[in-house]
Amino acid sequence: MTDQEIPAYPMERAVKCPFDPPPELKTLQEEGPITKVRLADGQTPWLVTGYDDQRAVLSDPRVSSDTASPGYPNPAVAKDYEGDGDEPQEQRPKIGFILMDDPEHARLRRMVTAPFAIKRSEARRPAIQKIVDDAIDAMLAGPNPTDLVEAFALPVPSLVISELLGVPYADHDFFQENSKVIVNLDVAPEERTAGMRNLTVYLDDLVGQKMKAPGDDLLSGLVGRIQAGDLTRAEAAQIGVLLLIAGHETTANMIALGTLALFENPDQLALLRDSDNPVVVAKAVEELLRYLHITHNGRRRAVLEDIEIGGQPVKAGEGVILPGDIANRDPRLFPDPDRLDLTRDARRHIAFGFGVHQCLGQSLARVELQVVYSTLYKRIPTLALAGDLRELPFKHDAAVYGVYELPVTW
Ligand code: HEM
């Protein structure tokens, strides 16, 4: 491949099928497991398209999640990336341990694994059901049509993660706004850094308050760790920032985009609405996670030692991008992959990533989505899109895919 032939990444989704990975990405997957792509800042990392190869890279200790590692592919999309490299790598925002390597990553992740264990998430199911029921009551009492994102998809996971962390929900406008800026890949670097700073100062202040008056929440648990000398206050605040962002952004997008995908597939929506079987609901959630794969911009890694990916030698200091959306549509694993089929066994999807960084909050997210998908369409059977799908503001510019607004009526 000559220099000019290297395709640009990210690629655009086709307007008429906003749930599918870009057609160009599909073609690349058909052509082979790995290829070079060009980013807006001129970097040319490797792009891995196959499901097995992506899993192999994500579980390889010779690749790094640290944005300061040489070759780490720049995640930003466009505005300030015109090839002038004006954002030094070390200034890119660090969001808790998600962008760290072991052993530091493992040390910090261990501090918060217990509250996200499957049993603990299951124990939250009744509280989550109440949050969902209350949000639906409030929505039904409000204007019709309304924006489902504002009225339901954002409040539900924000309330759940606020309660778990011990963050006052009354501050939701503040943390939702700053999170939105941080995950937007198209904002100026200074704006993103300011968003990170705002949330870090806020969480540091909360940790300070919990030191004086601990409660029965995750942040108070971290205070215990600080007092035992296992953690610094700054690390606790960083972990808080990561959990607060990851805990509401992702799930909110799954709720809104999942609802839109179901509107577009009424037979599948009916299947979910008409069933009381928790197994049917659990399967539906896995399939929606596979089909939508909302962290569409691709996992990013830097290679620390010479390795081979899909038969291709990749050198230390080169970057790798792993778009899970295309891996989840790999026909070798999921027959007829572009069809939303809530009855298929989609459990092997990698919507929660793979390897040491695999989503810490996945059992909580599963419970939230199961409660939402099994309640919303039953309680409001006439729920429908109020408007034209092609005019919806899709989040092409964000690290997490979804819709900024979803007008609905009932
Ligand atoms: C449907 C919702 C969710 C999706 C699709 C999702 C997806 C992901 C993915 C793909 C990763 C891997 C990142 C990587 O390899 O670089 C990840 C990591 C992570 N997620 Fe989630 N997530 C969701 C919900 C949540 C929730 C509710 C929480 C709760 C706080 C959470 C917390 C985290 C954390 C802390 C990490 C970093 C793990 C690590 O680096 O060890 N996520 N998530």
Side-chain angles (χ1 to χ4, degrees), residues 106-369:
R107 178 179 75 82
L108 295 174
R109 181 171 164 132
R110 256 199 310 274
M111 306 278 169
V112 282
T113 43
F116 292 100
I118 295 180
K119 265 192 169 167
R120 298 275 287 273
S121 300
E122 276 301 332
R124 293 185 183 278
R125 195 179 280 270
I128 293 172
Q129 183 70 57
K130 166 120 182 47
I131 287 174
V132 168
D133 286 334
D134 290 351
I136 294 174
D137 288 343
M139 193 169 99
L140 289 174
N144 178 5
T146 194
D147 171 18
L148 189 84
V149 174
E150 187 76 32
F152 183 77
L154 255 180
V156 167
S158 299
L159 270 160
V160 172
I161 198 67
S162 298
E163 275 185 23
L164 197 158
L165 292 182
V167 167
Y169 180 69
D171 297 337
H172 69 275
D173 281 342
F174 167 80
F175 67 72
Q176 285 167 355
E177 269 313 304
N178 281 289
S179 304
K180 199 155 117 185
V181 169
I182 293 166
V183 300
N184 190 317
L185 302 171
D186 222 4
V187 300
E190 310 81 60
E191 221 180 307
R192 199 170 322 122
T193 308
M196 270 307 285
R197 201 181 312 113
N198 290 344
L199 279 188
T200 308
V201 168
Y202 173 73
L203 260 304
D204 180 73
D205 187 51
L206 264 181
V207 170
Q209 289 175 34
K210 309 271 177 197
M211 285 172 126
K212 287 188 208 127
D216 182 22
D217 52 55
L218 188 148
L219 288 181
S220 299
L222 290 183
V223 165
R225 297 289 200 152
I226 298 171
Q227 284 156 349
D230 297 337
L231 195 68
T232 66
R233 179 167 162 171
E235 286 171 337
Q238 277 286 307
I239 292 176
V241 173
L242 170 62
L243 298 179
L244 188 56
I245 300 176
H248 79 276
E249 250 317 307
T250 43
T251 316
N253 283 307
M254 269 305 297
I255 295 172
L257 198 66
T259 299
L260 182 61
L262 290 167
F263 286 160
E264 292 300 299
N265 292 271
D267 56 328
Q268 301 297 299
L269 176 57
L271 216 147
L272 195 51
R273 192 180 47 219
D274 300 343
S275 174
D276 283 320
N277 184 346
V279 177
V280 170
V281 176
K283 275 184 111 165
V285 166
E286 298 312 312
E287 170 66 349
L288 282 157
L289 283 161
R290 177 197 75 84
Y291 181 73
L292 299 172
H293 189 94
I294 52 168
T295 60
H296 67 314
N297 197 41
R299 314 262 61 74
R300 313 247 156 169
R301 299 292 189 262
V303 175
L304 300 174
E305 289 173 34
D306 293 359
I307 56 172
E308 212 174 83
I309 304 174
Q312 168 69 46
V314 176
K315 292 202 187 65
E318 292 191 298
V320 186
I321 299 182
L322 310 130
D325 54 354
I326 198 69
N328 278 350
R329 301 287 183 102
D330 191 331
R332 285 163 293 192
L333 210 83
F334 303 107
D336 196 4
D338 296 336
R339 195 158 61 88
L340 178 70
D341 173 5
L342 300 189
T343 63
R344 86 162 81 218
D345 182 0
R347 275 174 302 179
R348 293 185 69 203
H349 68 73
I350 51 168
F352 289 124
F354 194 70
V356 291
H357 288 279
Q358 194 175 93
C359 182
L360 174 75
Q362 60 184 285
S363 57
L364 179 67
R366 284 192 165 101
V367 173
E368 288 185 62
L369 294 175

Side-chain angles (χ1 to χ4, degrees), residues 1-7 38:
M1 187 185 286
T2 69
D3 229 31
Q4 285 83 5
E5 285 166 347
I6 298 178
R38 186 183 307 284

Side-chain angles (χ1 to χ4, degrees), residues 15-16 385 387-394:
V15 180
K16 63 179 189 336
L385 179 64
D388 186 343
L389 174 102
R390 281 159 307 183
E391 277 161 24
L392 293 177
F394 285 95

Side-chain angles (χ1 to χ4, degrees), residues 20-34:
D20 289 351
E24 222 179 327
L25 198 52
K26 289 183 174 198
T27 309
L28 287 180
Q29 187 183 56
E30 281 156 22
E31 285 170 4
I34 178 164

